[in-house]
Amino acid sequence: MSIGHTLLGLLESGPRHGYDLKRAFDEKFGHDRPLHYGQVYSTMSRLLKNGLVEVDGIEAGGGPERKRYAITEAGITDVERWLATPEKPEPYLQSTLYTKVVLALLTSRDAADILDTQRSEHLRGMRILTDRKRKGDLADQLICDHALFHLEADLRWLELTAARLDKLREAVAR
Amino acid sequence: MTSVTSVSATPSVPAGTLLAARDLRKAYGPTTALDGAAFSIHPGEVVAVMGPSGSGKSTLLHCLAGIVTPDSGSITYNGRELTAMNDAGRSALRRSEFGFVFQFGQLVPELTCVENVALPLRLNGTPRKEAERAALTWLERLEVDDVRKKRPGEVSGGQGQRVAVARSLVTGPRVVFADEPTGALDSLNGERVMELLTDAARSTNAAVVLVTHEARVAAYSDREIVVRDGKSRDMERVV
Ligand SMILES: Nc1ncnc2c1ncn2[C@@H]1O[C@H](COP(=O)(O)OP(=O)(O)OP(=O)(O)O)[C@@H](O)[C@H]1O
Ligand SMILES: [Mg+2]
């Protein structure tokens, strides 16, 4: 999962301090893997260097967690592009996809769009496998079927998520 | 400069399109089933129609096939405007140019399987012998010629569905409309039916409009459109 894009997405709703960013991330996406402060600062300094965020203010007391960051226009474009690009089908894809969907809901973008684009990407892969299966021998068929069932499992999760977008929107707004 | 291609009344339909629909709207009382849906398909193309339950997939298919008349919007088949045709014209078109496969209950229970497959040809005036000979060829292609003398009540779900696919193809349709054609089948049977249907369609250059919610079935298509809340999204144009 791209921590940089996720932190950027969290900044879209308004400037935040480093510690606040970490807390928001952990709360929404880091249930099993909270961020280290070190990760937040290395990520933020990279985003700063690339012009995707700017320092909006510094609280008294010193320390990097006291910096307040704001997203730039370039940062917003970067989030936009990331959300619109489908993920390569691979194991644990759902954590990235879940993040994208939640960020889309948080920033009032069309989350169903992201899921449609991802379905399309998965189907593209499934068409190639299906074609190989049709032309291949039994061994090909079995190998392709294994991959097809895995992609299908992703898609079933995706459809279920799509069907629950309204509930999820309410949940993330809280 | 004189135009040689001025036959089409709807210039917005791209060349080579067999069936196209624009801005379809259809309401059932207070329920909006279609809210500006669009569609297009080329000869030989298999297009999956996906989307949540109740989103308008079947309504779209019924409109495209001339079974349901939309409240507004345009549907052109081979340059002809479907919405401007009368019922008789539309049903003649359905009989001669279209084939249908649905999820359940499409075979006539009193007829044998071969008679069922021959039925669309008989309705078009083909003599019995000739119709049944053609029907048998299709039953063979669908690998169910052994049930030809049985009645639909005496065959398995998978066999019945293959018989239904054979019937949808027997007239040599230009478009096959399939609404959840594998919905009642297990995955092995469902895939075989899809394989046979799409092979047959490709070999006759027929287009297939395939409504399905199953990804493995949709994987037999060339591309998909998604219908949500009566609106369609052509995934090829966005990605
Ligand atoms: N004949 C009808 N009379 C009244 N309402 C209808 C009729 N046909 C469809 N509808 C309504 O129109 C909407 C779209 O229905 P449609 O059958 O097209 O959905 P669908 O996408 O095919 O769903 P499913 O995946 O469950 O088959 C639904 O709200 C449905 O209840
Ligand atoms: Mg339906």
Side-chain angles (χ1 to χ4, degrees), chain A residues 116 119 159 162-163, chain B residues 50-57 213 226-229:
Chain A
D116 283 348
R119 181 193 302 103
E159 302 301 354
Chain B
M50 305 189 76
S53 182
S55 59
K57 303 182 296 295
H213 63 273
V226 177
V227 180
R228 195 181 312 111
D229 299 329

Side-chain angles (χ1 to χ4, degrees), chain B residues 26-34 49-62 68 103 179-180 211-213 227 230:
Chain B
K26 176 75 191 175
Y28 292 103
T31 311
T32 303
L34 292 179
V49 179
M50 305 189 76
S53 182
S55 59
K57 303 182 296 295
S58 295
T59 306
L60 174 61
L61 181 137
H62 292 149
V68 163
Q103 188 173 353
D179 196 346
E180 301 281 1
V211 171
T212 184
H213 63 273
V227 180

Side-chain angles (χ1 to χ4, degrees), chain A residues 119-158:
Chain A
R119 181 193 302 103
S120 200
E121 180 73 10
H122 267 61
L123 277 176
R124 197 199 315 276
M126 290 181 78
R127 287 192 181 100
I128 293 167
L129 288 162
T130 300
D131 199 48
R132 222 169 87 196
K133 197 169 97 170
R134 285 172 96 150
K135 291 172 184 151
D137 57 14
L138 184 60
D140 281 328
Q141 288 169 20
L142 291 172
I143 288 165
C144 290
D145 266 329
H146 183 263
L148 280 165
F149 278 121
H150 278 267
L151 292 170
E152 186 190 24
D154 280 351
L155 282 181
R156 293 176 92 147
W157 174 82
L158 186 148

Side-chain angles (χ1 to χ4, degrees), chain B residues 68-126:
Chain B
V68 163
T69 310
D71 299 336
S72 67
S74 129
I75 304 165
T76 42
Y77 171 74
N78 238 344
R80 280 188 286 170
E81 179 62 50
L82 239 66
T83 54
M85 291 165 78
N86 60 17
D87 284 351
R90 269 198 301 268
S91 77
L93 184 71
R94 279 203 301 275
R95 271 207 312 275
S96 60
E97 312 271 305
F98 298 165
F100 296 90
V101 197
F102 297 110
Q103 188 173 353
F104 301 112
Q106 38 195 326
L107 299 175
V108 181
E110 292 81 11
L111 299 180
T112 64
C113 286
V114 74
E115 286 165 347
N116 261 288
V117 176
L119 190 59
L121 289 174
R122 301 281 291 128
L123 292 174
N124 283 346
T126 310

